[in-house]
PDB file of all heavy atoms in Angstrom:
ATOM      1  N   ARG A 244     -10.887  13.536  -6.134  1.00  0.00           N
ATOM      2  CA  ARG A 244     -10.865  14.113  -7.498  1.00  0.00           C
ATOM      3  C   ARG A 244      -9.573  14.917  -7.683  1.00  0.00           C
ATOM      4  O   ARG A 244      -9.099  15.603  -6.812  1.00  0.00           O
ATOM      5  CB  ARG A 244     -12.030  15.051  -7.779  1.00  0.00           C
ATOM      6  CG  ARG A 244     -13.325  14.267  -7.976  1.00  0.00           C
ATOM      7  CD  ARG A 244     -14.406  15.092  -8.689  1.00  0.00           C
ATOM      8  NE  ARG A 244     -14.853  16.220  -7.777  1.00  0.00           N
ATOM      9  CZ  ARG A 244     -16.123  16.235  -7.426  1.00  0.00           C
ATOM     10  NH1 ARG A 244     -16.968  15.408  -7.758  1.00  0.00           N
ATOM     11  NH2 ARG A 244     -16.471  17.190  -6.644  1.00  0.00           N
ATOM     12  N   ARG A 245      -9.065  14.729  -8.857  1.00  0.00           N
ATOM     13  CA  ARG A 245      -7.788  15.381  -9.186  1.00  0.00           C
ATOM     14  C   ARG A 245      -7.884  16.905  -9.005  1.00  0.00           C
ATOM     15  O   ARG A 245      -8.742  17.546  -9.323  1.00  0.00           O
ATOM     16  CB  ARG A 245      -7.397  15.088 -10.645  1.00  0.00           C
ATOM     17  CG  ARG A 245      -6.135  15.823 -11.132  1.00  0.00           C
ATOM     18  CD  ARG A 245      -5.478  15.311 -12.289  1.00  0.00           C
ATOM     19  NE  ARG A 245      -6.491  15.021 -13.398  1.00  0.00           N
ATOM     20  CZ  ARG A 245      -6.103  14.501 -14.518  1.00  0.00           C
ATOM     21  NH1 ARG A 245      -4.796  14.086 -14.716  1.00  0.00           N
ATOM     22  NH2 ARG A 245      -6.961  14.293 -15.445  1.00  0.00           N
ATOM     23  N   GLY A 246      -6.796  17.419  -8.266  1.00  0.00           N
ATOM     24  CA  GLY A 246      -6.713  18.805  -8.100  1.00  0.00           C
ATOM     25  C   GLY A 246      -7.405  19.302  -6.794  1.00  0.00           C
ATOM     26  O   GLY A 246      -7.122  20.456  -6.308  1.00  0.00           O
ATOM     27  N   GLU A 247      -8.246  18.420  -6.215  1.00  0.00           N
ATOM     28  CA  GLU A 247      -8.918  18.788  -4.974  1.00  0.00           C
ATOM     29  C   GLU A 247      -8.064  18.390  -3.781  1.00  0.00           C
ATOM     30  O   GLU A 247      -7.082  17.578  -3.972  1.00  0.00           O
ATOM     31  CB  GLU A 247     -10.287  18.187  -4.923  1.00  0.00           C
ATOM     32  CG  GLU A 247     -11.227  18.756  -5.907  1.00  0.00           C
ATOM     33  CD  GLU A 247     -12.698  18.531  -5.522  1.00  0.00           C
ATOM     34  OE1 GLU A 247     -12.948  17.909  -4.453  1.00  0.00           O
ATOM     35  OE2 GLU A 247     -13.558  18.718  -6.364  1.00  0.00           O
ATOM     36  N   ALA A 248      -8.378  19.067  -2.665  1.00  0.00           N
ATOM     37  CA  ALA A 248      -7.497  18.777  -1.487  1.00  0.00           C
ATOM     38  C   ALA A 248      -7.948  17.488  -0.785  1.00  0.00           C
ATOM     39  O   ALA A 248      -9.251  17.316  -0.574  1.00  0.00           O
ATOM     40  CB  ALA A 248      -7.504  20.028  -0.650  1.00  0.00           C
ATOM     41  N   CYS A 249      -7.016  16.712  -0.312  1.00  0.00           N
ATOM     42  CA  CYS A 249      -7.407  15.548   0.492  1.00  0.00           C
ATOM     43  C   CYS A 249      -8.119  15.997   1.733  1.00  0.00           C
ATOM     44  O   CYS A 249      -7.712  17.012   2.454  1.00  0.00           O
ATOM     45  CB  CYS A 249      -6.106  14.709   0.875  1.00  0.00           C
ATOM     46  SG  CYS A 249      -6.503  13.502   2.165  1.00  0.00           S
ATOM     47  N   GLY A 250      -9.235  15.495   2.093  1.00  0.00           N
ATOM     48  CA  GLY A 250     -10.036  15.857   3.206  1.00  0.00           C
ATOM     49  C   GLY A 250      -9.314  15.588   4.598  1.00  0.00           C
ATOM     50  O   GLY A 250      -9.684  16.216   5.613  1.00  0.00           O
ATOM     51  N   THR A 251      -8.453  14.750   4.559  1.00  0.00           N
ATOM     52  CA  THR A 251      -7.650  14.435   5.814  1.00  0.00           C
ATOM     53  C   THR A 251      -6.394  15.265   6.001  1.00  0.00           C
ATOM     54  O   THR A 251      -6.268  15.872   7.142  1.00  0.00           O
ATOM     55  CB  THR A 251      -7.199  12.955   5.762  1.00  0.00           C
ATOM     56  OG1 THR A 251      -8.281  12.076   5.495  1.00  0.00           O
ATOM     57  CG2 THR A 251      -6.543  12.536   6.973  1.00  0.00           C
ATOM     58  N   CYS A 252      -5.589  15.539   4.932  1.00  0.00           N
ATOM     59  CA  CYS A 252      -4.357  16.248   5.159  1.00  0.00           C
ATOM     60  C   CYS A 252      -4.237  17.416   4.251  1.00  0.00           C
ATOM     61  O   CYS A 252      -3.343  18.226   4.443  1.00  0.00           O
ATOM     62  CB  CYS A 252      -3.217  15.305   4.933  1.00  0.00           C
ATOM     63  SG  CYS A 252      -2.853  14.914   3.272  1.00  0.00           S
ATOM     64  N   GLY A 253      -5.101  17.653   3.229  1.00  0.00           N
ATOM     65  CA  GLY A 253      -5.040  18.814   2.411  1.00  0.00           C
ATOM     66  C   GLY A 253      -4.112  18.818   1.197  1.00  0.00           C
ATOM     67  O   GLY A 253      -4.117  19.597   0.438  1.00  0.00           O
ATOM     68  N   THR A 254      -3.396  17.544   1.096  1.00  0.00           N
ATOM     69  CA  THR A 254      -2.537  17.382   0.026  1.00  0.00           C
ATOM     70  C   THR A 254      -3.390  17.204  -1.276  1.00  0.00           C
ATOM     71  O   THR A 254      -4.506  16.670  -1.198  1.00  0.00           O
ATOM     72  CB  THR A 254      -1.696  16.101   0.148  1.00  0.00           C
ATOM     73  OG1 THR A 254      -0.905  16.338   1.401  1.00  0.00           O
ATOM     74  CG2 THR A 254      -0.832  15.846  -1.039  1.00  0.00           C
ATOM     75  N   THR A 255      -2.917  17.696  -2.374  1.00  0.00           N
ATOM     76  CA  THR A 255      -3.636  17.671  -3.631  1.00  0.00           C
ATOM     77  C   THR A 255      -3.758  16.219  -4.121  1.00  0.00           C
ATOM     78  O   THR A 255      -2.766  15.456  -4.186  1.00  0.00           O
ATOM     79  CB  THR A 255      -2.951  18.484  -4.800  1.00  0.00           C
ATOM     80  OG1 THR A 255      -2.802  19.808  -4.364  1.00  0.00           O
ATOM     81  CG2 THR A 255      -3.694  18.375  -6.024  1.00  0.00           C
ATOM     82  N   ILE A 256      -4.948  15.778  -4.446  1.00  0.00           N
ATOM     83  CA  ILE A 256      -5.269  14.491  -4.913  1.00  0.00           C
ATOM     84  C   ILE A 256      -4.732  14.304  -6.360  1.00  0.00           C
ATOM     85  O   ILE A 256      -4.798  15.205  -7.173  1.00  0.00           O
ATOM     86  CB  ILE A 256      -6.803  14.249  -5.049  1.00  0.00           C
ATOM     87  CG1 ILE A 256      -7.423  14.360  -3.630  1.00  0.00           C
ATOM     88  CG2 ILE A 256      -7.139  12.877  -5.558  1.00  0.00           C
ATOM     89  CD1 ILE A 256      -6.961  13.356  -2.611  1.00  0.00           C
ATOM     90  N   VAL A 257      -3.993  13.281  -6.602  1.00  0.00           N
ATOM     91  CA  VAL A 257      -3.449  13.009  -7.949  1.00  0.00           C
ATOM     92  C   VAL A 257      -4.181  11.842  -8.636  1.00  0.00           C
ATOM     93  O   VAL A 257      -4.868  11.001  -7.960  1.00  0.00           O
ATOM     94  CB  VAL A 257      -1.910  12.571  -7.868  1.00  0.00           C
ATOM     95  CG1 VAL A 257      -1.089  13.832  -7.401  1.00  0.00           C
ATOM     96  CG2 VAL A 257      -1.747  11.358  -7.000  1.00  0.00           C
ATOM     97  N   LYS A 258      -4.134  11.791  -9.915  1.00  0.00           N
ATOM     98  CA  LYS A 258      -4.731  10.778 -10.726  1.00  0.00           C
ATOM     99  C   LYS A 258      -3.659   9.996 -11.503  1.00  0.00           C
ATOM    100  O   LYS A 258      -2.711  10.558 -12.051  1.00  0.00           O
ATOM    101  CB  LYS A 258      -5.663  11.426 -11.716  1.00  0.00           C
ATOM    102  CG  LYS A 258      -6.377  10.397 -12.609  1.00  0.00           C
ATOM    103  CD  LYS A 258      -7.299  10.994 -13.671  1.00  0.00           C
ATOM    104  CE  LYS A 258      -7.931   9.824 -14.463  1.00  0.00           C
ATOM    105  NZ  LYS A 258      -8.754  10.315 -15.620  1.00  0.00           N
ATOM    106  N   PHE A 259      -3.926   8.595 -11.519  1.00  0.00           N
ATOM    107  CA  PHE A 259      -2.986   7.780 -12.360  1.00  0.00           C
ATOM    108  C   PHE A 259      -3.760   6.580 -12.678  1.00  0.00           C
ATOM    109  O   PHE A 259      -5.103   6.490 -12.427  1.00  0.00           O
ATOM    110  CB  PHE A 259      -1.701   7.440 -11.627  1.00  0.00           C
ATOM    111  CG  PHE A 259      -2.043   6.965 -10.173  1.00  0.00           C
ATOM    112  CD1 PHE A 259      -2.027   5.664  -9.895  1.00  0.00           C
ATOM    113  CD2 PHE A 259      -2.167   7.879  -9.158  1.00  0.00           C
ATOM    114  CE1 PHE A 259      -2.342   5.192  -8.642  1.00  0.00           C
ATOM    115  CE2 PHE A 259      -2.420   7.431  -7.787  1.00  0.00           C
ATOM    116  CZ  PHE A 259      -2.504   5.961  -7.588  1.00  0.00           C
ATOM    117  N   VAL A 260      -3.239   5.606 -13.394  1.00  0.00           N
ATOM    118  CA  VAL A 260      -3.900   4.423 -13.775  1.00  0.00           C
ATOM    119  C   VAL A 260      -3.430   3.243 -12.874  1.00  0.00           C
ATOM    120  O   VAL A 260      -2.243   3.038 -12.681  1.00  0.00           O
ATOM    121  CB  VAL A 260      -3.634   4.050 -15.201  1.00  0.00           C
ATOM    122  CG1 VAL A 260      -4.307   2.793 -15.599  1.00  0.00           C
ATOM    123  CG2 VAL A 260      -4.199   5.136 -16.137  1.00  0.00           C
ATOM    124  N   ALA A 261      -4.346   2.585 -12.341  1.00  0.00           N
ATOM    125  CA  ALA A 261      -4.067   1.368 -11.543  1.00  0.00           C
ATOM    126  C   ALA A 261      -5.198   0.340 -11.843  1.00  0.00           C
ATOM    127  O   ALA A 261      -6.347   0.719 -11.873  1.00  0.00           O
ATOM    128  CB  ALA A 261      -4.015   1.628 -10.091  1.00  0.00           C
ATOM    129  N   GLY A 262      -4.740  -0.955 -11.980  1.00  0.00           N
ATOM    130  CA  GLY A 262      -5.803  -1.919 -12.331  1.00  0.00           C
ATOM    131  C   GLY A 262      -6.491  -1.581 -13.666  1.00  0.00           C
ATOM    132  O   GLY A 262      -7.613  -2.026 -13.832  1.00  0.00           O
TER     133      GLY A 262
END
Side-chain angles (χ1 to χ4, degrees):
Chain A
R244 282 200 291 243
R245 174 159 50 181
E247 291 196 9
C249 169
T251 304
C252 74
T254 300
T255 302
I256 300 295
V257 294
K258 179 185 182 185
F259 49 95
V260 175

